[in-house]
Amino acid sequence: MSEKAVKPAKRARTEMPVQPPFVRIQNYLEVALGYGEAEAMAEASRCIQCKKPGCRQGCPVEIDIKGFIGKLQQGDLPGAYKVLREYNSLPAVCGRVCPQENQCEGMCILGKNPEKTGGAVAIGRLERFVADTFAARLAGGDAACLQITGETACHMSRDDLKVACIGAGPSSLTVAGYLASLGIKVTVFEALHEVGGVLVYGIPEFRLPKSIVRREVDAMRDLGVEFKTNWVGGKAITVQELFDEGYKAVFIGVGAGLPQFMHVPGENSIGVFSANEYLTRVNLGRAYDFPNYDTPVFKAEQVCVIGGGNVAMDAARTALRLGAKKVSIVYRRTKSEMPARLEELEHAIEEGVQLELLCAPLALNADENKRLVSMTVQNMKLGEPDASGRCRPMPIEGDTRDIPCQLVIIAVGTRPNPILLEATKGLALNKRGYIEANPEIGETSIHNVFAGGDIVTGAATVISAMGAGRKAAKEIAKRLLGAEA
Amino acid sequence: MNYRILEKKVLIPGQTTLLVIDAPHVAKKAKPGNFVILRTSEKGERIPLTIADCDPVAGTVTIVFLVVGKSTAELNTFEEGQALHDFCGPLGKPTHIEKQGTVICVGGGTGVAAMHHIAKGHAAMGNRVVAIIGARNKDLLLFCSELGNFCPEVLIATDDGSQGHHGFVTEVLKQRLEEDKNVSEVVAIGPVPMMEAVAKVTKPFGVKTTVSLNAIMVDGIGMCGACRCTVGGETKFACVDGPEFDGHQVDFGELRLRLSQFRPQEQESMALFQHKCQCGEGK
């Protein structure tokens, strides 16, 4: 590929092969199958290597996107991986779950005039290709070091410099990977029995195979990161005890785990679940493979999922795969206000998920055994835009209807989990109950205690949690290693 | 840290078993009223069990369980020296224990085990603890002698009259409350109908009544809301707001129905497990 800027490609984005909808709703395997080499090279060649790339500004961790795609254009896969890895500890995850259309791809110059240019470069798909292909080529020996840093040798682990992470989700994993690659000994305390946080309990296998998460975690283990599962921060161990045990810094990445309910009548009926419970049973508990696995999940013919975000899409698509005849997403605004990623919404609709728009639950109706039979909804119309810039839904007086359903999954957001926060004296919280942290370095009101991810921002994306983890890790490294970092 | 079983004691053959688990970090922190969540295997379900006793010096936690379904049936096949796959705790808010005089601790069935730890906590605080325990017959009574170590009185009720009062624990409790006006608190742990009946008995006496709710749980750390209960008209999570609540405020009817939520799957899982056992496939 020549150094000269290439003319904008007129070729459309290279499609990524997917399992057809009628096939994939019969299984729990990954929907998007990923590019092969020819597809990846074809897509990479569409990138015009802008002088001032917009894509990078759209990325919360500022990946040198032009750089990694440039390496790919030259056929240098390890080089492309190394560029990615400098900025992102979980590229295989981000290539799958990032909302690229609002981030890097949303800023790609080719996306400004899609009729002429064929649309934005499929950066996420390329990131996934590079991460998966590179990992597949690794074997034994220096593999972990290569996978985490793109370098063939990592720093020797220094046991005198210990850092603890509480929670094992995307932000903590980022901190652990970054610090371990510099030779700092990291211990990650996780409350559940499996490492990964929302990546294992929340995001379904068909969007993010657990084997991908395990691959990243295993590489960290090989680099000396210790994972202690079944340890609840604030219960089994407190922040002060960690310092007493010689940890030099503590990173809090416990997520925003508490499910929000709607406080409508009948919400405790049998057949009403938080999306957290429904997805945790299916993903962490592998209830899709019950009774081979012991955790059960509730099944019904008619299912309503309340909410319009990615979690709602995941729950709806899961319910379809578990055999529901009709699954409806109930949302109080319209399709264009839905916060879900476009691809998730499109996949859900292709698979047969119905949309019940402009209506909000008023009551969940149960029979005499408290089993859910239907949901009464208030029909809405759109009013003026509110603070979020989205049109405010307004009830149409007296206009209600009943939707028959035996399973309702509530996906209307989460709140901070107070267990660790209440057990940590002197930790300043904001008025919504999340941790106050310095946005530049992630430090909390307690010296050498850092925080990042949803427990600081409220429910957000995997990549923004990783961005926060990265900032905190850099600062921790600077403090611990001084000029060495 | 491998959660090894140091001791196994069959309390009631085929029904109730006591396990002493090696879990120093849990033992160090566990207080009366706390519970743990364990899994038997990689494919296992997370099951919550209230702690029956713990020894921070030895680093052990004692649990007692009733075989009710596949997970507990499988747990019952574990022998000394074997290790549990996962053991997480301590979870839940500990019992509120203060110096207050006479406390009556009522236990029914396997609930006596959890009640034992709470009674012990009250006794250690210097409260006079009267234990009332019940079972169908005298062979099914649990923790009778252990309670005797620190309770000046252990009152017994059996359904068949084979030991102590012929009838229910609630009848013994009622009589006691009528005779003794200085009872400051009643703690009840056992099957839902028993706790409901205890709360009904204590209500007219105006005695503070604490019950421990065994709701269905998944994570046990407030993430999912599976264990939500209605207490005083408000939704509470048994795992993080409880498991102990004011017995006079709990909607027991709702709890009972919610406990039946997965009954068909539980039966399917248990039938499959028994079939495998009979075919000699083991666990």
Side-chain angles (χ1 to χ4, degrees):
Chain A
M1 186 69 52
S2 89
E3 287 287 305
K4 272 186 245 164
V6 196
K7 273 190 182 167
K10 290 203 180 68
R11 277 179 293 124
R13 277 158 71 94
T14 313
E15 287 304 317
M16 177 164 53
V18 294
Q19 283 197 71
F22 66 93
V23 174
R24 69 193 190 224
I25 61 167
Q26 310 287 331
N27 65 50
Y28 215 68
L29 305 174
E30 190 167 21
V31 168
L33 301 172
Y35 282 155
E37 194 166 336
E39 289 150 327
M41 294 311 286
E43 185 59 21
S45 72
R46 292 184 63 242
C47 173
I48 57 169
Q49 297 281 299
C50 301
K51 273 219 173 72
K52 286 184 184 160
C55 50
R56 187 170 187 175
Q57 291 163 36
C59 174
V61 295
E62 294 173 10
I63 293 178
D64 176 8
I65 294 164
K66 174 184 169 181
F68 101 80
I69 297 180
K71 293 283 184 195
L72 198 55
Q73 287 174 341
Q74 296 159 14
D76 178 5
L77 184 78
Y81 185 79
K82 199 176 157 195
V83 173
L84 274 178
R85 218 43 226 232
E86 270 176 48
Y87 303 89
N88 183 343
S89 353
L90 305 167
V93 173
C94 292
R96 289 172 164 83
V97 304
C98 265
Q100 289 100 2
E101 68 269 25
N102 305 325
Q103 299 179 349
C104 50
E105 293 178 16
M107 303 282 275
C108 173
I109 189 82
L110 297 191
K112 306 290 177 208
N113 198 348
E115 267 95 69
K116 276 196 174 163
T117 61
V121 174
I123 299 166
R125 294 170 185 177
L126 291 175
E127 182 182 25
R128 170 183 168 155
F129 168 80
V130 171
D132 284 3
T133 313
F134 185 75
R137 289 186 192 170
L138 290 178
D142 302 321
C145 209
L146 270 167
Q147 191 178 320
I148 290 197
T149 62
E151 307 271 352
T152 46
C154 283
H155 292 70
M156 293 295 288
S157 181
R158 293 177 49 172
D159 285 347
D160 59 323
L161 294 180
K162 298 199 293 179
V163 171
C165 295
I166 305 178
S171 65
S172 280
L173 290 180
T174 301
V175 172
Y178 186 92
L179 295 180
S181 72
L182 296 175
I184 294 172
K185 170 85 186 154
V186 183
T187 307
V188 181
F189 295 89
E190 165 58 40
L192 295 172
H193 58 256
E194 202 170 326
V195 171
V198 73
L199 307 178
V200 297
Y201 77 75
I203 303 177
E205 180 78 16
F206 57 79
R207 252 195 339 118
L208 175 65
K210 302 302 156 250
S211 55
I212 301 285
V213 182
R214 214 172 303 125
R215 187 172 79 202
E216 303 285 355
V217 170
D218 286 347
M220 289 183 200
R221 273 205 185 95
D222 288 347
L223 277 197
V225 175
E226 187 183 2
F227 290 96
K228 287 191 167 192
T229 50
N230 299 316
W231 281 68
V232 181
K235 291 279 184 194
I237 192 94
T238 65
V239 170
Q240 187 53 52
E241 284 164 343
L242 290 168
F243 283 118
D244 294 346
E245 287 181 19
Y247 289 94
K248 306 287 184 210
V250 176
F251 179 83
I252 302 174
V254 295
L258 240 61
Q260 245 163 2
F261 286 88
M262 303 179 296
H263 307 290
V264 300
E267 207 163 23
N268 291 350
S269 304
I270 294 177
V272 182
F273 294 84
S274 73
N276 265 10
E277 178 179 356
Y278 189 74
L279 291 172
T280 301
R281 285 180 176 280
V282 178
N283 300 327
L284 182 74
R286 274 60 167 183
Y288 58 87
D289 195 11
F290 177 89
N292 183 27
Y293 283 78
D294 291 340
T295 305
V297 66
F298 199 89
K299 292 186 185 179
E301 291 208 338
Q302 293 163 304
V303 181
C304 285
V305 180
I306 298 159
N310 287 326
V311 175
M313 301 303 145
D314 285 344
R317 298 172 68 194
T318 298
L320 270 184
R321 284 162 175 74
L322 292 175
K325 292 231 166 76
K326 184 181 179 193
V327 178
S328 310
I329 296 231
V330 175
Y331 185 56
R332 60 197 182 132
R333 294 181 165 104
T334 69
K335 208 167 134 183
S336 52
E337 284 86 18
M338 280 190 175
R341 249 186 100 187
L342 193 63
E343 185 181 283
E344 306 312 326
L345 177 61
E346 283 172 355
H347 277 161
I349 293 170
E350 278 170 24
E351 289 169 10
V353 171
Q354 318 264 309
L355 301 181
E356 295 277 1
L357 300 169
L358 286 168
C359 58
L362 277 184
L364 298 163
N365 312 308
D367 65 12
E368 65 281 5
N369 292 318
K370 257 193 169 290
R371 290 189 167 262
L372 183 73
V373 290
S374 70
M375 174 166 63
T376 306
V377 296
Q378 166 76 59
N379 290 327
M380 316 288 276
K381 61 183 178 202
L382 285 186
E384 296 296 305
D386 64 10
S388 73
R390 296 179 299 175
C391 289
R392 191 191 305 272
M394 319 262 285
I396 305 169
E397 277 314 313
D399 190 1
T400 67
R401 65 197 156 103
D402 278 7
I403 305 175
C405 53
Q406 304 80 42
L407 169 58
V408 156
I409 303 164
I410 302 169
V412 297
T414 52
R415 293 175 291 141
N417 191 326
I419 294 180
L420 179 68
L421 312 187
E422 285 172 2
T424 310
K425 271 192 210 121
L427 187 65
L429 307 180
N430 66 22
K431 56 179 187 293
R432 289 161 64 220
Y434 294 97
I435 297 176
E436 292 266 16
N438 175 329
E440 299 306 316
I441 56 169
E443 193 171 30
T444 67
S445 56
I446 306 174
H447 184 58
N448 284 338
V449 175
F450 296 79
D454 287 4
I455 193 57
V456 172
T457 56
T461 58
V462 168
I463 187 71
S464 67
M466 292 174 52
R470 192 173 173 80
K471 280 182 186 166
K474 275 187 174 168
E475 179 66 18
I476 294 170
K478 208 163 89 189
R479 290 191 191 178
L480 264 56
L481 301 172
E484 295 171 49
Chain B
M1 188 177 7
N2 61 1
Y3 321 126
R4 218 143 50 87
I5 297 167
L6 301 179
E7 190 188 338
K8 176 180 181 178
K9 217 192 284 180
V10 176
L11 302 181
I12 303 167
Q15 192 182 320
T16 310
T17 302
L18 175 149
L19 298 177
V20 179
I21 313 289
D22 180 27
H25 74 285
V26 183
K28 195 170 121 193
K29 295 290 181 102
K31 299 223 161 46
N34 282 145
F35 65 94
V36 294
I37 283 191
L38 62 81
R39 290 200 315 154
T40 49
S41 73
E42 204 195 334
K43 293 183 173 182
E45 185 179 11
R46 296 171 66 88
I47 52 172
L49 288 169
T50 309
I51 294 170
D53 205 356
C54 76
D55 184 339
V57 180
T60 60
V61 176
T62 304
I63 52 168
V64 174
F65 61 93
L66 177 70
V67 177
V68 285
K70 192 237 164 150
S71 295
T72 42
E74 187 166 71
L75 183 59
N76 208 25
T77 65
F78 277 66
E79 299 299 339
E80 285 174 10
Q82 280 184 280
L84 301 178
H85 199 278
D86 295 286
F87 193 76
C88 178
L91 299 168
K93 286 196 161 63
T95 310
H96 178 76
I97 294 177
E98 57 178 7
K99 180 117 171 75
Q100 57 180 349
T102 302
V103 176
I104 299 182
C105 292
V106 188
T110 318
V112 178
M115 179 274 262
H116 164 264
H117 198 211
I118 294 164
K120 201 172 167 186
H122 274 292
M125 181 55 77
N127 292 322
R128 183 185 153 80
V129 181
V130 177
I132 304 177
I133 59 173
R136 271 182 290 124
N137 64 58
K138 70 174 169 47
D139 297 328
L140 306 179
L141 287 166
L142 303 177
F143 280 78
C144 201
S145 63
E146 287 88 345
L147 286 163
N149 291 336
F150 51 81
C151 299
E153 291 174 77
V154 180
L155 308 175
I156 289 166
T158 50
D159 295 2
D160 67 352
S162 52
Q163 192 174 341
H165 172 76
H166 186 171
F168 297 127
V169 286
T170 41
E171 291 152 8
V172 180
L173 173 66
K174 186 162 184 242
Q175 195 188 346
R176 186 69 197 207
L177 289 173
E178 279 162 355
E179 287 164 10
D180 184 349
K181 300 290 171 204
N182 295 317
V183 175
S184 58
E185 183 177 355
V186 172
V187 178
I189 306 185
V192 176
M194 186 217 94
M195 293 192 287
E196 186 174 15
V198 165
K200 217 168 162 183
V201 165
T202 59
K203 187 111 202 246
F205 293 94
V207 182
K208 178 184 172 189
T209 302
T210 303
V211 295
S212 180
L213 305 186
N214 58 337
I216 292 177
M217 293 182 187
V218 181
D219 52 85
I221 50 173
M223 271 176 49
C224 80
C227 62
R228 57 198 196 276
C229 306
T230 303
V231 181
E234 274 180 51
T235 294
K236 299 280 184 192
F237 288 6
C239 68
V240 285
D241 299 322
E244 292 175 13
F245 294 102
D246 177 352
H248 297 145
Q249 302 286 327
V250 171
D251 182 342
F252 287 104
E254 179 186 275
L255 175 65
R256 219 176 8 239
L257 288 166
R258 286 187 62 82
L259 282 168
S260 70
Q261 203 153 16
F262 291 100
R263 194 129 311 149
Q265 288 97 324
E266 284 160 9
Q267 284 163 351
E268 180 188 351
S269 201
M270 185 64 169
L272 197 70
F273 179 73
Q274 284 168 336
H275 177 74
K276 276 188 186 165
C277 284
Q278 278 160 9
C279 296
E281 284 178 41
K283 56 185 174 79

